[in-house]
């Protein structure tokens, strides 16, 4: 019989518990200790002597030394392709990204391929690198990123574009693709932001559209073939464009009208008229990183993340991810339970989150929680969920969550009135939110976060004031139904500024002006009077630029480069962001940012991303826009198929719940 789990806390682990959960013999414990010590030894060996001088002068040096438990090290003599996987944000953000971890594992499972990581350095580290003549390097080997065969960026957010440019510059590589005529290094990018890659089209050789587990290895194998057969770069790019999901910007000519709108998008050299996204069809057969890197320092999501399904049944009209990740594809309950236990055993984490775009819509969620209950209880693992839907938070689900740590609950009504929730197709009523709050407060919860957006299409002052009314109603519900009033109540209301995104029903809509956004924030702030309610609102400057970049065309490349030269590098961080330098860059390039953010598009206008297809048709999106202006909701995919076009992926009905 196995004894109780042993506990080991290695140096530099930020107090994370490493639980030995195999058959816990003394040999197992000794092997585990040796592995942890070996990881620490590798970490020391990885650090370049030049880095040893500068690391004491920077914040969080663990960001830059590598050597973590489960990182992949390979013999260079047995590798014929070096892949630098770059995340254009800090280590803490990048290492929290599940997609980044998945592709790292997929690539390193390929014989002869070594995928290594690089992250955007913080300003103090960048200063030291430049001052000491040290190029940006990969964590696993310490080799300069500029020496790799493929330099790939994972880009989920438009505000990361300048960090991409800065990482290229720190690598000693020319920013523009036309200035890199050789096949090596090839600069590519993937991620949700690449559904409109036009703002960075001048800087990348190709973009990957869709899910990368199958697509990226195919591109890598084509690149290896090109290297073996001595292809030049143009030949490789033409061949890559034949792969479903690969967009090669240099093979598309863009022309413009006098009013600044696009006149035509013309593919050439055999490039497809439409680049169709790549989709993983069977989630049970797709890669999951059971053995994943355990960071040496605390990261944002410092836990096991278990992806229960992809896609979303809901069809919220503002949500880009909800459309581009269609159709819904679930992992089986049995496989999820197996992955969860294996990942906890390997990593030693004591927290696990069940992740998806709408986790409470997983058909077997309660059963899965039951499957994990004994394991989590025995090993002191807290099970958590991201933001929950107010229309299906049940007593059953609450009881499962109660067994872990009672953190605050998060709901996202998005809009303050039923009329506006119907307009955005949120499909949540105030009665359903009230019932969910009753369930939570009667179960002992005393903290709740409510997320909303300001500036949604058709929004009025009545809708804005409705947010304050919902917050006051939450306070009243707590007073009426709380089972434990000794702890007091905390209601946090957070609002963001609506950003119209490509491949949504609102891709044609204007963003409201900055002045109008600030007026609505002030209106709501003055309307929230309850002492138990705290109001937080998103900075308007970054949302304005996000809207510009999200719907920008290829002409924004020169603005991006100009802003970067002016010092824009970590724009995703509010304390590093300066809108004025961007406005100067726009003025110097002769472009108006409001042309991209605040202008309504007609149905006939050619959009910058019109050469990309996520299967969801423009006709469907336009119909959804028209329904929004009538405040008419559409049933979710589970209730009725609305004919969005995503069923073409599965060859028929695409929801299997």
């Amino acid at each position: 019989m196995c004894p109780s789990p042993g506990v080991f806390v290695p140096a530099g682990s930020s107090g994370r518990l490493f639980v030995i959960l195999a058959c816990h013999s003394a040999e197992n414990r000794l092997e585990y200790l040796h592995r942890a010590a070996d990881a620490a030894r590798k970490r020391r060996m990885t650090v370049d002597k030049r880095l040893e001088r500068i690391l004491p002068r920077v914040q969080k040096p663990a960001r830059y030394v590598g050597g973590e438990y489960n990182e992949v090290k390979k013999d260079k003599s047995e590798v014929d392709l070096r892949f630098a996987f770059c995340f254009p944000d800090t280590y803490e953000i990048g290492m929290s990204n599940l997609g980044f971890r998945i592709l790292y594992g997929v690539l390193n499972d390929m014989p002869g391929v070594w995928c290594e990581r690089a992250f955007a350095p913080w300003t103090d580290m960048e200063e030291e690198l430049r001052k000491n003549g040290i190029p940006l390097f990969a964590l696993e080997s310490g080799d300069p990123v500029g020496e790799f065969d493929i330099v790939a960026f994972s880009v989920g957010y438009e505000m990361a574009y300048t960090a991409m440019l800065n990482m290229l510059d720190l690598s000693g590589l020319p920013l523009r693709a036309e200035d890199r005529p050789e096949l090596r290094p090839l600069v590519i990018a993937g991620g949700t932001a690449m559904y409109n890659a036009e703002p960075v089209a001048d800087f990348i050789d190709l973009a990957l559209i869709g899910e990368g587990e199958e697509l990226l290895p195919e591109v890598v194998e084509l690149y290896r073939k090109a290297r073996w057969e001595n292809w030049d770069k143009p030949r490789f790019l033409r061949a890559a464009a034949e792969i479903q999901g690969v967009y090669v910007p240099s093979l598309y000519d863009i022309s413009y009208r006098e009013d600044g709108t696009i006149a035509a998008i013309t593919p050439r050299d055999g490039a497809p008229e439409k680049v169709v996204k790549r989709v993983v069809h069977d989630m049970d057969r797709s890669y999951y990183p059971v053995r994943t890197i355990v960071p040496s320092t605390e990261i944002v999501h410092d836990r096991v993340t278990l992806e229960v399904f992809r896609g979303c049944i809901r069809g919220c009209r503002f949500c880009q991810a909800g459309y581009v990740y269609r159709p819904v594809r679930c992992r089986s309950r049995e496989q999820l339970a197996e992955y969860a236990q294996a990942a906890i055993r390997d990593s030693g984490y004591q927290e696990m989150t069940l992740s998806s775009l709408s986790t409470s819509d997983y058909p077997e969620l309660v059963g899965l929680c039951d499957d994990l209950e004994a394991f989590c209880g025995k090993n002191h693992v807290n099970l958590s969920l991201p933001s929950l839907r107010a229309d299906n938070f049940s007593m059953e689900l609450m009881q499962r969550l109660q067994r872990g740590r009672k953190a605050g609950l998060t709901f996202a009504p998005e809009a303050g009135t039923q009329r506006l929730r119907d307009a955005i197709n949120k499909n949540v009523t105030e009665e359903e939110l009230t019932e969910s709050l009753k369930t939570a407060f009667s179960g002992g919860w005393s903290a709740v976060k409510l997320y909303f957006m300001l500036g949604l299409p058709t929004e009025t002052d009545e809708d804005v004031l409705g947010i304050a009314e919902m917050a006051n109603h939450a306070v009243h519900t707590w007073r009426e139904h709380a089972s434990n009033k000794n702890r007091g109540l905390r209601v946090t209301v957070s609002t963001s500024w609506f950003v119209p995104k490509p491949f949504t029903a609102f891709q044609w809509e204007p963003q409201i002006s900055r002045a109008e956004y600030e007026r609505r924030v002030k209106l709501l702030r003055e309307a929230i009077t309850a002492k138990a309610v705290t109001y937080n609102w998103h900075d308007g400057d970054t949302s304005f630029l996000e809207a510009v970049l999200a719907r920008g065309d290829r002409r924004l490349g020169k603005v991006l480069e100009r802003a970067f030269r002016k010092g824009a590098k970590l724009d995703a961080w509010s304390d590093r962001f300066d809108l004025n330098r961007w406005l100067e860059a726009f003025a110097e390039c002769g472009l108006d940012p409001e042309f991209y953010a605040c202008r309504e598009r007609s149905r006939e206008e050619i959009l910058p991303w019109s050469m990309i297809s996520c299967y969801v048709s423009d006709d469907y999106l336009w119909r959804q826009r028209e329904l929004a202006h009538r405040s008419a909701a559409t049933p979710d995919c589970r209730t009725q198929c609305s004919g969005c076009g995503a069923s073409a992926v599965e060859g028929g009905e695409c929801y299997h719940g």
Side-chain angles (χ1 to χ4, degrees):
M1 184 173 66
C2 296
S4 301
V7 175
F8 165 60
V9 184
S13 68
S14 301
R16 183 183 297 114
L17 292 176
F18 283 70
V19 186
I20 306 167
L21 293 170
C23 188
H24 308 295
S25 65
E27 289 79 10
N28 289 130
R29 295 192 186 94
L30 187 60
E31 179 185 355
Y32 195 98
L33 292 169
H34 284 163
R35 285 194 295 169
D38 186 57
R41 190 159 49 248
K42 289 177 181 177
R43 184 181 307 119
R44 291 192 296 270
M45 293 170 60
T46 304
V47 180
D48 187 279
K49 292 296 182 183
R50 293 175 297 173
L51 291 179
E52 290 181 358
R53 295 195 300 270
I54 67 175
L55 287 178
R57 299 197 290 269
V58 303
Q59 299 178 48
K60 301 183 180 180
R63 290 167 165 167
Y64 311 110
V65 299
E68 307 99 320
Y69 177 63
N70 278 344
E71 78 163 14
V72 176
K73 302 279 283 186
K74 294 192 177 184
D75 186 339
K76 295 179 188 178
S77 66
E78 298 177 359
V79 170
D80 59 50
L81 188 140
R82 304 283 301 279
F83 191 102
F85 203 1
C86 302
F87 196 91
D89 210 321
T90 62
Y91 178 93
E92 296 94 317
I93 304 296
M95 287 302 298
S96 299
N97 185 283
L98 179 60
F100 191 80
R101 291 172 176 265
I102 288 172
L103 295 179
Y104 179 85
V106 167
L107 289 167
N108 278 314
D109 276 355
M110 297 177 66
V113 175
W114 188 10
C115 174
E116 305 181 48
R117 298 161 296 143
F119 300 93
W122 194 247
T123 52
D124 55 352
M125 183 61 171
E126 180 193 345
E127 181 182 350
E128 293 291 342
L129 291 176
R130 292 190 184 277
K131 186 167 61 177
N132 290 274
I134 302 174
L136 184 69
F137 54 89
L139 296 190
E140 280 75 4
S141 66
D143 292 342
V145 166
E147 296 179 1
F148 281 65
D149 298 297
I150 297 178
V151 177
F153 290 91
S154 175
V155 193
Y157 180 39
E158 294 84 359
M159 301 303 290
Y161 287 159
T162 50
M164 284 178 59
L165 299 191
N166 194 40
M167 292 178 77
L168 287 173
D169 190 62
L170 282 168
S171 302
L173 297 174
L175 298 186
R176 291 182 170 267
E178 64 184 11
D179 297 325
R180 301 188 303 268
E182 303 301 322
L183 182 58
R184 180 179 185 268
L186 185 76
V187 176
I188 68 178
T192 309
M194 290 300 99
Y195 278 91
N196 178 23
E198 294 308 282
V200 294
D202 291 340
F203 312 111
I204 61 175
D205 295 309
L206 56 86
L208 306 182
I209 311 300
E211 298 164 2
E213 290 97 320
E214 297 175 10
L215 173 56
L216 190 52
E218 197 169 332
V219 172
V220 166
E221 289 296 354
L222 180 67
Y223 184 89
R224 295 169 92 177
K225 175 181 173 67
R227 287 285 304 276
W228 294 333
E229 298 180 5
N230 294 316
W231 294 5
D232 61 13
K233 187 175 182 178
R235 181 181 175 186
F236 169 80
L237 293 177
R238 289 193 299 270
E242 297 177 6
I243 299 175
Q244 181 182 342
V246 174
Y247 170 55
V248 181
S250 61
L251 298 183
Y252 293 80
D253 295 327
I254 316 294
S255 59
Y256 300 90
R257 303 182 190 279
E258 288 187 6
D259 64 0
T261 60
I262 294 174
I265 299 174
T266 308
R268 53 182 174 79
D269 294 339
E273 184 176 335
K274 287 279 189 182
V275 177
V276 181
K277 76 172 181 181
R278 198 68 168 265
V279 175
V280 172
H281 291 265
D282 186 349
M283 289 297 291
D284 276 349
R285 298 179 63 183
S286 68
Y287 181 90
Y288 176 76
V290 170
R291 294 205 51 173
T292 190
I293 294 173
V294 179
S296 301
T297 186
E298 187 174 0
I299 61 175
V300 175
H301 299 303
D302 210 9
R303 60 184 74 105
V304 167
T305 300
L306 192 66
E307 184 185 26
V308 296
F309 67 87
R310 286 189 195 165
C312 185
I313 65 172
R314 294 293 175 169
C316 298
R317 290 169 178 145
F318 58 84
C319 182
Q320 184 185 47
Y323 286 116
V324 302
Y325 282 107
R326 290 187 176 198
V328 171
R329 291 143 293 148
C330 295
R331 274 199 169 101
S332 68
R333 170 179 161 185
E334 295 76 18
Q335 188 182 71
L336 286 169
E338 180 182 328
Y339 281 162
Q341 295 179 38
I344 289 292
R345 286 190 181 104
D346 184 74
S347 66
Y349 276 115
Q350 289 189 291
E351 185 168 349
M352 175 168 52
T353 186
L354 305 182
S355 176
S356 73
L357 292 176
S358 181
T359 303
S360 51
D361 283 328
Y362 181 65
E364 297 186 88
L365 181 60
V366 172
L368 175 61
C369 292
D370 286 341
D371 293 343
L372 296 173
E373 177 187 356
F375 175 82
C376 290
K378 177 182 177 182
N379 297 294
H380 310 290
V381 174
N382 292 315
L383 189 63
S384 64
L385 301 177
S387 61
L388 302 165
R389 286 193 60 88
D391 58 348
N392 59 10
F393 180 71
S394 64
M395 182 64 75
E396 270 190 311
L397 184 57
M398 186 200 71
Q399 289 170 346
R400 269 84 180 162
L401 292 177
Q402 266 187 329
R403 292 166 186 159
R405 187 175 65 245
K406 240 192 205 117
L409 294 174
T410 301
F411 298 101
E414 307 293 0
T417 64
Q418 193 59 50
R419 183 206 66 80
L420 188 54
R421 284 193 293 277
D422 288 343
I424 65 175
N425 208 41
K426 185 62 183 177
N427 284 323
V428 171
T429 67
E430 188 164 345
E431 291 75 18
E432 288 167 334
L433 178 61
T434 298
E435 285 302 312
S436 293
L437 291 175
K438 284 182 182 178
T439 300
F441 293 149
S442 63
W445 266 272
S446 59
V448 62
K449 296 179 181 179
L450 303 175
Y451 283 101
F452 301 88
M453 280 186 280
L454 292 178
L456 286 160
T458 79
E459 183 182 70
T460 66
D461 283 0
E462 181 182 353
D463 299 313
V464 176
L465 294 174
I467 297 173
E469 293 175 11
M470 290 187 73
N472 289 333
H473 185 66
V475 174
H476 177 74
T477 303
W478 179 81
R479 288 171 179 161
E480 292 288 316
H481 298 280
S483 61
N484 179 9
K485 296 184 180 180
N486 295 328
R487 299 171 62 185
L489 172 67
R490 287 183 292 115
V491 176
T492 302
V493 171
S494 296
T495 62
S496 61
W497 184 5
F498 165 68
V499 175
K501 293 275 187 168
F503 298 104
T504 69
F506 295 150
Q507 64 182 353
W508 295 277
E509 296 286 343
Q511 187 183 53
I512 61 174
S513 68
R514 282 180 288 161
E516 176 59 19
Y517 170 69
E518 290 166 1
R519 186 193 71 81
R520 296 187 195 187
V521 168
K522 183 174 183 292
L523 178 66
L524 178 56
R525 189 174 67 239
E526 292 175 349
I528 293 177
T529 56
K531 291 183 179 180
V533 180
T534 300
Y535 176 38
N536 301 320
W537 61 93
H538 193 267
D539 170 55
D541 288 350
T542 54
S543 295
F544 172 67
L545 184 62
E546 183 184 348
V548 172
L549 297 176
R551 297 195 295 180
D553 55 42
R554 198 169 292 194
R555 293 171 296 185
L556 290 190
K558 58 185 178 182
V559 180
L560 270 172
E561 185 170 0
R562 186 68 62 94
F564 164 66
R565 300 298 182 193
K566 288 177 173 291
K569 296 174 183 177
L570 288 167
D571 289 310
W573 295 78
S574 58
D575 58 339
R576 311 307 307 174
F577 176 72
D578 181 359
L579 182 62
N580 289 328
R581 67 164 64 104
W582 280 93
L583 296 178
E584 290 173 4
F586 273 100
E588 291 168 10
C589 294
L591 291 172
D592 179 6
E594 293 193 358
F595 174 83
Y596 298 100
C598 304
R599 179 177 61 86
E600 183 177 353
R601 276 71 166 161
S602 70
R603 178 67 180 89
E604 293 74 30
E605 181 173 337
I606 298 174
L607 303 174
W609 51 91
S610 293
M611 77 292 284
I612 305 298
S613 169
C614 71
Y615 284 106
V616 177
S617 71
D618 275 352
D619 287 341
Y620 169 80
L621 294 175
W622 185 262
R623 291 197 304 272
Q624 289 295 310
R625 179 183 185 268
E626 291 177 327
L627 290 171
H629 283 270
R630 300 202 301 267
S631 296
T634 300
D636 62 53
C637 301
R638 177 177 49 197
T639 304
Q640 176 184 320
C641 176
S642 55
C644 72
S647 61
V649 177
E650 299 291 331
E653 183 181 358
C654 61
Y655 176 70
H656 305 285

